Amino acid sequence: MKVTSSEFIISAVGPKQYPTDGLHEIALVGRSNVGKSSLLNKMMNRKGLARISSRPGKTQTLNYFRVNQMLYFVDFPGYGYAKVAKSIKEQWGKMIEGYLKNRNELRFIIQLVDIRHAPSKDDVAMYDWCKQIGIPTVVVATKGDKIARGRWLQHTKIIRQSLNLRGDDTIIVFSSETGQGKDELWAEIMRRIRAGEEMAKETAARAEEIAPASE
């Protein structure tokens, strides 16, 4: 997809601050330092739009980025960083759980994992949580440029097995340095959005057919 506009909108700490324009929302989750900010900047063609912090765990809000006036990337706080205060982690947990369970605009999750390592316990727990709630997930294996291309299949197989990838969930190798996986990820995003829109139209059409009979 050609990105013609991208902008930071808000750092939200609760539902009252979430956008109300009804655009599609795609949440990005992953461990601290897995490369969420770098991926966002590459996907939006903006080098410094999503700030890359040298201090893991710094993001403590849901950061909204609007692309082409058609969707939001919602950047979640990074998980798995021990030096973040327990009280802050508890606040994150409540905010994230509320968003994942109740946000109607959420279409699916992009979960980032480092291709060089097997998924952590936190990675597995996050993926399982999304499955329990019923949220579709695209797994993105970041830092693809850090290992030889010939090893990608081996490493993605480990990720797939560790997470027990299910259903229509896919895995994409990505590199913010080379742009590897950018076009593939955009294609997957648009495919899922279109599929969701078609399903919504079909549901609405069925509801209209049923309505006269029930009157």
Side-chain angles (χ1 to χ4, degrees):
M1 186 181 80
K2 183 178 181 180
V3 175
T4 57
S5 67
S6 56
E7 56 187 330
F8 169 74
I9 299 300
I10 191 171
S11 291
V13 296
K16 291 183 179 180
Q17 294 180 307
Y18 299 162
T20 58
D21 50 16
L23 296 182
H24 304 292
E25 295 182 10
I26 302 163
L28 279 81
V29 302
R31 286 176 58 85
S32 297
N33 277 1
V34 75
K36 286 195 285 95
S37 295
S38 297
L39 180 143
L40 281 167
N41 288 330
K42 179 60 70 172
M43 293 294 289
M44 296 186 295
N45 293 336
R46 295 282 298 275
K47 288 185 177 180
L49 189 58
R51 295 181 180 178
I52 302 171
S53 175
S54 59
R55 181 159 60 89
K58 185 176 181 181
T59 301
Q60 300 177 13
T61 56
L62 300 185
N63 293 329
Y64 274 80
F65 299 89
R66 187 166 58 202
V67 182
N68 285 5
Q69 306 296 319
M70 67 171 293
L71 64 84
Y72 288 104
F73 284 127
V74 186
D75 185 20
F76 275 37
Y79 54 75
Y81 192 65
K83 291 186 179 180
V84 176
K86 183 178 179 180
S87 60
I88 294 177
K89 285 185 177 180
E90 290 175 351
Q91 292 173 13
W92 289 356
K94 292 177 182 178
M95 175 176 61
I96 290 170
E97 181 176 8
Y99 176 90
L100 292 177
K101 287 184 174 180
N102 303 315
R103 187 62 173 165
N104 291 330
E105 288 81 358
L106 176 63
R107 297 297 173 257
F108 60 92
I109 292 283
I110 294 178
Q111 181 174 5
L112 281 65
V113 296
D114 190 326
I115 194 172
R116 299 172 296 178
H117 312 294
S120 67
K121 290 181 179 179
D122 289 327
D123 291 324
V124 174
M126 185 55 153
Y127 182 81
D128 286 344
W129 191 22
C130 290
K131 295 306 97 182
Q132 291 172 15
I133 300 174
I135 302 174
T137 306
V138 175
V139 176
V140 172
T142 62
K143 310 187 188 232
D145 58 292
K146 302 299 183 183
I147 64 172
R149 181 181 288 263
R151 296 170 59 196
W152 286 357
L153 183 60
Q154 173 191 354
H155 283 246
T156 55
K157 182 179 180 181
I158 292 172
I159 293 170
R160 186 181 299 276
Q161 292 175 340
S162 298
L163 295 178
N164 188 20
L165 224 62
R166 280 156 260 181
D168 189 37
D169 293 349
T170 54
I171 183 167
I172 295 171
V173 177
F174 193 94
S175 168
S176 59
E177 294 295 324
T178 67
Q180 163 67 37
K182 175 183 174 181
D183 291 342
E184 186 180 355
L185 182 53
W186 267 123
E188 183 68 11
I189 289 170
M190 298 311 299
R191 180 187 73 81
R192 288 175 178 266
I193 286 177
R194 292 189 189 104
E197 290 174 343
E198 288 299 319
M199 186 177 296
K201 289 179 182 177
E202 291 175 4
T203 301
R206 286 197 296 269
E208 288 181 1
E209 291 175 358
I210 294 171
S214 61
E215 291 178 355

